[in-house]
Amino acid sequence: QVQLAESGGGLVQAGGSLRLSCAASGRFFKINAMGWYRPAPEKQRELVATLTYSGSTNYADSVKGRFTISRDNAKNTMYLQMISLKPEDTAVYYCNADVLTTNLRHDAIWGQGTQVTVSS
């Protein structure tokens, strides 16, 4: 079974920086797209940033220019570098991965989340 483990959350002052990590473990054939999501009003979760296996990125307008998503395919790990953090960035950040299993089935896997708190 594939699992995702997030780390790197914490408490930071406005204007500060954090780097989140998401490591995949278990048996799988390949991880396709990966992304970061957070809860939003009137939505279950909103997209923060996504990254395909080939390197194409997509960002929410609210984080463009401040957040950078990246991945190390050899380590099956994804990162989210966050700078110029704002109090409104406070949330639990969830990692998501589109995993191609050993049975060649696509599974959407979620991590447990990591708390980011930005104080004003």
Side-chain angles (χ1 to χ4, degrees):
Q1 186 173 357
V2 181
Q3 292 184 325
L4 299 177
E6 299 105 329
S7 61
L11 174 63
V12 64
Q13 288 187 330
S17 302
L18 284 173
R19 189 176 86 149
L20 307 183
S21 298
C22 172
S25 61
R27 290 174 56 84
F28 51 88
F29 184 72
K30 180 183 177 182
I31 297 178
N32 295 313
M34 299 184 78
W36 292 96
Y37 294 77
R38 63 190 183 190
E42 300 181 2
K43 295 181 182 179
Q44 186 173 6
R45 288 172 185 170
E46 68 172 0
L47 178 151
V48 175
T50 59
L51 175 60
T52 66
Y53 185 86
S54 59
S56 297
T57 59
N58 185 35
Y59 294 94
D61 288 342
S62 60
V63 307
K64 283 180 181 176
R66 300 188 298 120
F67 291 9
T68 302
I69 189 171
S70 61
R71 63 191 285 176
D72 183 334
N73 290 329
K75 295 181 179 180
N76 294 313
T77 301
M78 175 180 63
Y79 307 96
L80 185 69
Q81 180 67 52
M82 306 184 292
I83 65 171
S84 302
L85 283 161
K86 304 175 181 179
E88 52 262 43
D89 294 319
T90 295
V92 177
Y93 284 71
Y94 294 92
C95 171
N96 171 265
D98 172 21
V99 177
L100 185 61
T101 69
T102 53
N103 296 324
L104 301 183
R105 183 183 70 244
H106 284 274
D107 279 350
I109 307 296
W110 290 92
Q112 293 299 306
T114 186
Q115 177 70 47
V116 172
T117 303
V118 185
S119 63
S120 57

PDB file of all heavy atoms in Angstrom, residues 5 11 17 23-24 26 28 39 41-43 45 53 55-57 69 71 74-75 83 86 88 97 104 106 117 120:
ATOM      1  N   ALA A   5       3.868  10.780   3.456  1.00  0.00           N
ATOM      2  CA  ALA A   5       4.171  11.356   4.756  1.00  0.00           C
ATOM      3  C   ALA A   5       4.668  12.778   4.575  1.00  0.00           C
ATOM      4  O   ALA A   5       5.703  13.002   3.931  1.00  0.00           O
ATOM      5  CB  ALA A   5       5.228  10.523   5.474  1.00  0.00           C
ATOM      6  N   LEU A  11       5.222  26.788  13.070  1.00  0.00           N
ATOM      7  CA  LEU A  11       4.786  28.153  13.360  1.00  0.00           C
ATOM      8  C   LEU A  11       5.850  29.130  12.882  1.00  0.00           C
ATOM      9  O   LEU A  11       7.031  28.961  13.200  1.00  0.00           O
ATOM     10  CB  LEU A  11       4.564  28.312  14.864  1.00  0.00           C
ATOM     11  CG  LEU A  11       4.250  29.724  15.375  1.00  0.00           C
ATOM     12  CD1 LEU A  11       2.933  30.221  14.794  1.00  0.00           C
ATOM     13  CD2 LEU A  11       4.222  29.721  16.899  1.00  0.00           C
ATOM     14  N   SER A  17       9.559  31.908   6.167  1.00  0.00           N
ATOM     15  CA  SER A  17       9.611  30.846   5.168  1.00  0.00           C
ATOM     16  C   SER A  17       9.497  29.479   5.824  1.00  0.00           C
ATOM     17  O   SER A  17       9.876  29.302   6.991  1.00  0.00           O
ATOM     18  CB  SER A  17      10.938  30.906   4.401  1.00  0.00           C
ATOM     19  OG  SER A  17      11.118  32.150   3.773  1.00  0.00           O
ATOM     20  N   ALA A  23       6.943  12.574   1.281  1.00  0.00           N
ATOM     21  CA  ALA A  23       7.669  11.387   0.833  1.00  0.00           C
ATOM     22  C   ALA A  23       6.710  10.222   0.631  1.00  0.00           C
ATOM     23  O   ALA A  23       5.890   9.928   1.513  1.00  0.00           O
ATOM     24  CB  ALA A  23       8.740  11.018   1.847  1.00  0.00           C
ATOM     25  N   ALA A  24       6.825   9.570  -0.506  1.00  0.00           N
ATOM     26  CA  ALA A  24       5.993   8.407  -0.805  1.00  0.00           C
ATOM     27  C   ALA A  24       6.741   7.132  -0.478  1.00  0.00           C
ATOM     28  O   ALA A  24       7.949   7.017  -0.727  1.00  0.00           O
ATOM     29  CB  ALA A  24       5.595   8.410  -2.272  1.00  0.00           C
ATOM     30  N   GLY A  26       6.159   2.573  -0.068  1.00  0.00           N
ATOM     31  CA  GLY A  26       5.323   1.433  -0.422  1.00  0.00           C
ATOM     32  C   GLY A  26       5.664   0.922  -1.804  1.00  0.00           C
ATOM     33  O   GLY A  26       6.665   1.316  -2.401  1.00  0.00           O
ATOM     34  N   PHE A  28       4.807   0.615  -5.697  1.00  0.00           N
ATOM     35  CA  PHE A  28       4.077   1.231  -6.807  1.00  0.00           C
ATOM     36  C   PHE A  28       4.973   1.216  -8.025  1.00  0.00           C
ATOM     37  O   PHE A  28       6.183   1.013  -7.919  1.00  0.00           O
ATOM     38  CB  PHE A  28       3.642   2.656  -6.471  1.00  0.00           C
ATOM     39  CG  PHE A  28       4.749   3.537  -5.962  1.00  0.00           C
ATOM     40  CD1 PHE A  28       5.544   4.253  -6.838  1.00  0.00           C
ATOM     41  CD2 PHE A  28       4.990   3.647  -4.599  1.00  0.00           C
ATOM     42  CE1 PHE A  28       6.568   5.060  -6.362  1.00  0.00           C
ATOM     43  CE2 PHE A  28       6.008   4.452  -4.115  1.00  0.00           C
ATOM     44  CZ  PHE A  28       6.793   5.155  -4.996  1.00  0.00           C
ATOM     45  N   PRO A  39      -7.427  23.307   3.017  1.00  0.00           N
ATOM     46  CA  PRO A  39      -8.863  23.580   3.130  1.00  0.00           C
ATOM     47  C   PRO A  39      -9.156  25.028   2.756  1.00  0.00           C
ATOM     48  O   PRO A  39      -8.305  25.908   2.904  1.00  0.00           O
ATOM     49  CB  PRO A  39      -9.166  23.332   4.607  1.00  0.00           C
ATOM     50  CG  PRO A  39      -8.049  22.464   5.084  1.00  0.00           C
ATOM     51  CD  PRO A  39      -6.850  22.885   4.296  1.00  0.00           C
ATOM     52  N   PRO A  41     -12.698  28.000   2.395  1.00  0.00           N
ATOM     53  CA  PRO A  41     -14.129  28.223   2.637  1.00  0.00           C
ATOM     54  C   PRO A  41     -14.972  27.702   1.494  1.00  0.00           C
ATOM     55  O   PRO A  41     -14.639  27.916   0.321  1.00  0.00           O
ATOM     56  CB  PRO A  41     -14.219  29.757   2.749  1.00  0.00           C
ATOM     57  CG  PRO A  41     -12.861  30.188   3.147  1.00  0.00           C
ATOM     58  CD  PRO A  41     -11.910  29.234   2.501  1.00  0.00           C
ATOM     59  N   GLU A  42     -16.015  26.994   1.805  1.00  0.00           N
ATOM     60  CA  GLU A  42     -16.960  26.471   0.832  1.00  0.00           C
ATOM     61  C   GLU A  42     -16.332  25.451  -0.121  1.00  0.00           C
ATOM     62  O   GLU A  42     -16.922  25.127  -1.149  1.00  0.00           O
ATOM     63  CB  GLU A  42     -17.604  27.606   0.031  1.00  0.00           C
ATOM     64  CG  GLU A  42     -18.365  28.585   0.926  1.00  0.00           C
ATOM     65  CD  GLU A  42     -19.028  29.694   0.144  1.00  0.00           C
ATOM     66  OE1 GLU A  42     -18.933  29.678  -1.099  1.00  0.00           O
ATOM     67  OE2 GLU A  42     -19.652  30.568   0.767  1.00  0.00           O
ATOM     68  N   LYS A  43     -15.150  24.967   0.209  1.00  0.00           N
ATOM     69  CA  LYS A  43     -14.524  23.912  -0.567  1.00  0.00           C
ATOM     70  C   LYS A  43     -13.951  22.893   0.397  1.00  0.00           C
ATOM     71  O   LYS A  43     -13.578  23.241   1.512  1.00  0.00           O
ATOM     72  CB  LYS A  43     -13.369  24.451  -1.432  1.00  0.00           C
ATOM     73  CG  LYS A  43     -13.758  25.403  -2.518  1.00  0.00           C
ATOM     74  CD  LYS A  43     -12.498  25.827  -3.303  1.00  0.00           C
ATOM     75  CE  LYS A  43     -12.821  26.819  -4.385  1.00  0.00           C
ATOM     76  NZ  LYS A  43     -11.603  27.251  -5.120  1.00  0.00           N
ATOM     77  N   ARG A  45     -11.129  21.068  -0.242  1.00  0.00           N
ATOM     78  CA  ARG A  45      -9.720  21.426  -0.302  1.00  0.00           C
ATOM     79  C   ARG A  45      -9.487  22.209  -1.579  1.00  0.00           C
ATOM     80  O   ARG A  45     -10.069  21.900  -2.615  1.00  0.00           O
ATOM     81  CB  ARG A  45      -8.829  20.179  -0.289  1.00  0.00           C
ATOM     82  CG  ARG A  45      -8.791  19.487   1.067  1.00  0.00           C
ATOM     83  CD  ARG A  45      -8.077  18.158   1.020  1.00  0.00           C
ATOM     84  NE  ARG A  45      -8.173  17.477   2.305  1.00  0.00           N
ATOM     85  CZ  ARG A  45      -7.808  16.220   2.511  1.00  0.00           C
ATOM     86  NH1 ARG A  45      -7.312  15.505   1.525  1.00  0.00           N
ATOM     87  NH2 ARG A  45      -7.928  15.685   3.716  1.00  0.00           N
ATOM     88  N   TYR A  53       4.920  14.662 -13.511  1.00  0.00           N
ATOM     89  CA  TYR A  53       6.180  13.912 -13.525  1.00  0.00           C
ATOM     90  C   TYR A  53       7.204  14.587 -14.426  1.00  0.00           C
ATOM     91  O   TYR A  53       8.394  14.603 -14.135  1.00  0.00           O
ATOM     92  CB  TYR A  53       5.919  12.481 -13.994  1.00  0.00           C
ATOM     93  CG  TYR A  53       7.138  11.595 -13.938  1.00  0.00           C
ATOM     94  CD1 TYR A  53       7.477  10.929 -12.759  1.00  0.00           C
ATOM     95  CD2 TYR A  53       7.949  11.416 -15.055  1.00  0.00           C
ATOM     96  CE1 TYR A  53       8.589  10.113 -12.696  1.00  0.00           C
ATOM     97  CE2 TYR A  53       9.066  10.602 -14.999  1.00  0.00           C
ATOM     98  CZ  TYR A  53       9.376   9.954 -13.811  1.00  0.00           C
ATOM     99  OH  TYR A  53      10.492   9.146 -13.749  1.00  0.00           O
ATOM    100  N   GLY A  55       7.393  17.776 -15.020  1.00  0.00           N
ATOM    101  CA  GLY A  55       7.837  19.069 -14.527  1.00  0.00           C
ATOM    102  C   GLY A  55       6.909  20.242 -14.765  1.00  0.00           C
ATOM    103  O   GLY A  55       7.251  21.378 -14.432  1.00  0.00           O
ATOM    104  N   SER A  56       5.745  20.020 -15.325  1.00  0.00           N
ATOM    105  CA  SER A  56       4.795  21.120 -15.507  1.00  0.00           C
ATOM    106  C   SER A  56       4.154  21.483 -14.179  1.00  0.00           C
ATOM    107  O   SER A  56       3.758  20.609 -13.419  1.00  0.00           O
ATOM    108  CB  SER A  56       3.711  20.719 -16.511  1.00  0.00           C
ATOM    109  OG  SER A  56       4.281  20.472 -17.772  1.00  0.00           O
ATOM    110  N   THR A  57       4.052  22.785 -13.929  1.00  0.00           N
ATOM    111  CA  THR A  57       3.523  23.251 -12.650  1.00  0.00           C
ATOM    112  C   THR A  57       2.246  24.061 -12.824  1.00  0.00           C
ATOM    113  O   THR A  57       1.982  24.631 -13.897  1.00  0.00           O
ATOM    114  CB  THR A  57       4.552  24.124 -11.915  1.00  0.00           C
ATOM    115  OG1 THR A  57       4.885  25.246 -12.755  1.00  0.00           O
ATOM    116  CG2 THR A  57       5.816  23.351 -11.606  1.00  0.00           C
ATOM    117  N   ILE A  69       6.914  24.672  -6.057  1.00  0.00           N
ATOM    118  CA  ILE A  69       6.778  23.232  -5.905  1.00  0.00           C
ATOM    119  C   ILE A  69       7.885  22.551  -6.701  1.00  0.00           C
ATOM    120  O   ILE A  69       8.254  23.017  -7.794  1.00  0.00           O
ATOM    121  CB  ILE A  69       5.382  22.759  -6.377  1.00  0.00           C
ATOM    122  CG1 ILE A  69       5.149  21.299  -6.019  1.00  0.00           C
ATOM    123  CG2 ILE A  69       5.186  23.022  -7.868  1.00  0.00           C
ATOM    124  CD1 ILE A  69       3.702  20.836  -6.260  1.00  0.00           C
ATOM    125  N   ARG A  71      10.111  18.410  -7.069  1.00  0.00           N
ATOM    126  CA  ARG A  71      10.116  17.005  -6.699  1.00  0.00           C
ATOM    127  C   ARG A  71      11.434  16.369  -7.066  1.00  0.00           C
ATOM    128  O   ARG A  71      12.111  16.820  -7.988  1.00  0.00           O
ATOM    129  CB  ARG A  71       8.945  16.252  -7.338  1.00  0.00           C
ATOM    130  CG  ARG A  71       8.971  16.221  -8.832  1.00  0.00           C
ATOM    131  CD  ARG A  71       7.653  15.702  -9.414  1.00  0.00           C
ATOM    132  NE  ARG A  71       7.518  14.260  -9.269  1.00  0.00           N
ATOM    133  CZ  ARG A  71       6.405  13.589  -9.628  1.00  0.00           C
ATOM    134  NH1 ARG A  71       5.374  14.238 -10.134  1.00  0.00           N
ATOM    135  NH2 ARG A  71       6.352  12.291  -9.485  1.00  0.00           N
ATOM    136  N   ALA A  74      13.758  10.482  -8.009  1.00  0.00           N
ATOM    137  CA  ALA A  74      14.575   9.367  -7.528  1.00  0.00           C
ATOM    138  C   ALA A  74      14.258   9.038  -6.067  1.00  0.00           C
ATOM    139  O   ALA A  74      14.370   7.884  -5.648  1.00  0.00           O
ATOM    140  CB  ALA A  74      16.053   9.694  -7.688  1.00  0.00           C
ATOM    141  N   LYS A  75      13.852  10.045  -5.318  1.00  0.00           N
ATOM    142  CA  LYS A  75      13.534   9.855  -3.897  1.00  0.00           C
ATOM    143  C   LYS A  75      12.031   9.771  -3.655  1.00  0.00           C
ATOM    144  O   LYS A  75      11.598   9.625  -2.512  1.00  0.00           O
ATOM    145  CB  LYS A  75      14.108  11.001  -3.066  1.00  0.00           C
ATOM    146  CG  LYS A  75      15.622  11.061  -3.068  1.00  0.00           C
ATOM    147  CD  LYS A  75      16.105  12.217  -2.195  1.00  0.00           C
ATOM    148  CE  LYS A  75      17.627  12.264  -2.165  1.00  0.00           C
ATOM    149  NZ  LYS A  75      18.122  13.392  -1.323  1.00  0.00           N
ATOM    150  N   ILE A  83       7.742  31.154   0.785  1.00  0.00           N
ATOM    151  CA  ILE A  83       8.375  32.370   1.285  1.00  0.00           C
ATOM    152  C   ILE A  83       7.317  33.458   1.416  1.00  0.00           C
ATOM    153  O   ILE A  83       6.196  33.312   0.914  1.00  0.00           O
ATOM    154  CB  ILE A  83       9.526  32.838   0.372  1.00  0.00           C
ATOM    155  CG1 ILE A  83       8.987  33.250  -0.990  1.00  0.00           C
ATOM    156  CG2 ILE A  83      10.569  31.734   0.226  1.00  0.00           C
ATOM    157  CD1 ILE A  83      10.038  33.933  -1.870  1.00  0.00           C
ATOM    158  N   LYS A  86       2.001  34.621   4.710  1.00  0.00           N
ATOM    159  CA  LYS A  86       0.986  35.535   5.218  1.00  0.00           C
ATOM    160  C   LYS A  86       0.089  34.787   6.209  1.00  0.00           C
ATOM    161  O   LYS A  86      -0.064  33.563   6.109  1.00  0.00           O
ATOM    162  CB  LYS A  86       0.131  36.056   4.065  1.00  0.00           C
ATOM    163  CG  LYS A  86       0.914  36.733   2.951  1.00  0.00           C
ATOM    164  CD  LYS A  86      -0.009  37.112   1.802  1.00  0.00           C
ATOM    165  CE  LYS A  86       0.763  37.773   0.666  1.00  0.00           C
ATOM    166  NZ  LYS A  86      -0.127  38.133  -0.463  1.00  0.00           N
ATOM    167  N   GLU A  88      -2.968  34.465   6.181  1.00  0.00           N
ATOM    168  CA  GLU A  88      -4.001  33.732   5.441  1.00  0.00           C
ATOM    169  C   GLU A  88      -3.490  32.440   4.826  1.00  0.00           C
ATOM    170  O   GLU A  88      -4.276  31.656   4.303  1.00  0.00           O
ATOM    171  CB  GLU A  88      -4.640  34.609   4.355  1.00  0.00           C
ATOM    172  CG  GLU A  88      -3.644  35.282   3.436  1.00  0.00           C
ATOM    173  CD  GLU A  88      -3.350  36.724   3.850  1.00  0.00           C
ATOM    174  OE1 GLU A  88      -3.176  36.974   5.073  1.00  0.00           O
ATOM    175  OE2 GLU A  88      -3.279  37.591   2.947  1.00  0.00           O
ATOM    176  N   ALA A  97      -1.015  12.493  -4.400  1.00  0.00           N
ATOM    177  CA  ALA A  97      -0.252  11.900  -5.491  1.00  0.00           C
ATOM    178  C   ALA A  97      -1.147  11.008  -6.336  1.00  0.00           C
ATOM    179  O   ALA A  97      -1.985  10.275  -5.804  1.00  0.00           O
ATOM    180  CB  ALA A  97       0.921  11.098  -4.952  1.00  0.00           C
ATOM    181  N   LEU A 104      -1.063  -1.566 -12.346  1.00  0.00           N
ATOM    182  CA  LEU A 104      -1.303  -0.584 -13.405  1.00  0.00           C
ATOM    183  C   LEU A 104      -2.651   0.096 -13.245  1.00  0.00           C
ATOM    184  O   LEU A 104      -3.335   0.414 -14.227  1.00  0.00           O
ATOM    185  CB  LEU A 104      -1.163  -1.232 -14.796  1.00  0.00           C
ATOM    186  CG  LEU A 104       0.199  -1.854 -15.083  1.00  0.00           C
ATOM    187  CD1 LEU A 104       0.238  -2.392 -16.509  1.00  0.00           C
ATOM    188  CD2 LEU A 104       1.326  -0.857 -14.849  1.00  0.00           C
ATOM    189  N   HIS A 106      -4.606   3.491 -11.454  1.00  0.00           N
ATOM    190  CA  HIS A 106      -4.322   4.819 -10.927  1.00  0.00           C
ATOM    191  C   HIS A 106      -5.058   4.998  -9.605  1.00  0.00           C
ATOM    192  O   HIS A 106      -6.279   4.860  -9.537  1.00  0.00           O
ATOM    193  CB  HIS A 106      -4.775   5.900 -11.907  1.00  0.00           C
ATOM    194  CG  HIS A 106      -3.867   6.055 -13.081  1.00  0.00           C
ATOM    195  ND1 HIS A 106      -2.747   6.870 -13.060  1.00  0.00           N
ATOM    196  CD2 HIS A 106      -3.881   5.483 -14.311  1.00  0.00           C
ATOM    197  CE1 HIS A 106      -2.135   6.803 -14.225  1.00  0.00           C
ATOM    198  NE2 HIS A 106      -2.799   5.961 -15.006  1.00  0.00           N
ATOM    199  N   THR A 117       1.218  27.406  10.478  1.00  0.00           N
ATOM    200  CA  THR A 117       0.600  28.526  11.175  1.00  0.00           C
ATOM    201  C   THR A 117       1.476  29.751  11.007  1.00  0.00           C
ATOM    202  O   THR A 117       2.661  29.714  11.335  1.00  0.00           O
ATOM    203  CB  THR A 117       0.417  28.224  12.667  1.00  0.00           C
ATOM    204  OG1 THR A 117      -0.374  27.040  12.819  1.00  0.00           O
ATOM    205  CG2 THR A 117      -0.288  29.382  13.371  1.00  0.00           C
ATOM    206  N   SER A 120       0.753  36.969  12.790  1.00  0.00           N
ATOM    207  CA  SER A 120       0.872  38.342  12.270  1.00  0.00           C
ATOM    208  C   SER A 120       1.727  39.203  13.181  1.00  0.00           C
ATOM    209  O   SER A 120       2.097  38.827  14.275  1.00  0.00           O
ATOM    210  CB  SER A 120      -0.516  38.961  12.124  1.00  0.00           C
ATOM    211  OG  SER A 120      -1.188  38.948  13.355  1.00  0.00           O
TER     212      SER A 120
END
